[in-house]
Amino acid sequence: MEHIDNTQETFVALWRLLRRTRRYCRLHCKRFCIRRVLQLWFGGEATPEFIWQVCHLCCQAGWDQLPPPGLYPRPHRELLRAIVAVRTGISYYQIDLRALDAAYTIAYPKSTPLNVNKKKKS
């Protein structure tokens, strides 16, 4: 991954890369976890400190198996949010969630909506 910033285009690319990474891991019989994703995406830049920062921000363990992003998007949303925060050096809470959610609907148009648990306004 050469350039990461806080824009919708970057988020669309990250969602699509996440899908390709999951397929790659499945084809090569490898665990689809945060540690593996970061090592595949960033190579030598994925130091233990970098992996720890990302895992700490998204409140997930590095070796835990990730579910499919199209069915369970919330853990992946937090993962991408943490990756962008650590790579850009901005706060985790300054990530543009509207752009991140819009990018998900572009990358996964027929999948589970991100905001399934939100109540509809009457």
Side-chain angles (χ1 to χ4, degrees), residues 87-107:
R87 286 291 287 190
T88 60
I90 62 175
S91 171
Y92 179 76
Y93 301 103
Q94 291 178 329
I95 302 299
D96 188 359
L97 291 179
R98 289 182 187 209
L100 182 57
D101 294 349
Y104 173 77
T105 59
I106 292 170

Side-chain angles (χ1 to χ4, degrees), residues 6-119:
N6 194 12
T7 63
Q8 184 173 342
E9 294 79 25
T10 299
F11 293 136
V12 170
L14 289 175
W15 279 112
R16 289 180 176 156
L17 183 60
L18 192 63
R19 181 178 8 193
R20 288 193 304 269
T21 303
R22 182 173 178 275
R23 286 183 189 149
Y24 173 84
C25 289
R26 191 176 60 215
L27 288 173
H28 294 278
C29 300
K30 295 186 178 201
R31 179 185 290 266
F32 179 60
C33 62
I34 293 175
R35 181 177 294 274
R36 173 98 51 216
V37 168
L38 294 176
Q39 288 172 344
L40 288 172
W41 287 8
F42 300 109
E45 295 178 40
T47 61
E49 293 82 23
F50 176 74
I51 294 169
W52 181 87
Q53 286 178 333
V54 171
C55 291
H56 179 72
L57 282 176
C58 67
C59 299
Q60 297 179 43
W63 288 111
D64 287 350
Q65 184 84 14
L66 291 169
L71 295 177
Y72 302 98
R74 283 296 177 129
H76 303 285
R77 175 187 190 231
E78 300 308 313
L79 170 62
L80 295 181
R81 187 177 175 193
I83 289 171
V84 172
V86 172
R87 286 291 287 190
T88 60
I90 62 175
S91 171
Y92 179 76
Y93 301 103
Q94 291 178 329
I95 302 299
D96 188 359
L97 291 179
R98 289 182 187 209
L100 182 57
D101 294 349
Y104 173 77
T105 59
I106 292 170
Y108 293 92
K110 297 180 181 175
S111 296
T112 304
L114 266 169
N115 301 319
V116 169
N117 297 330
K118 288 190 176 179
K119 293 183 179 179

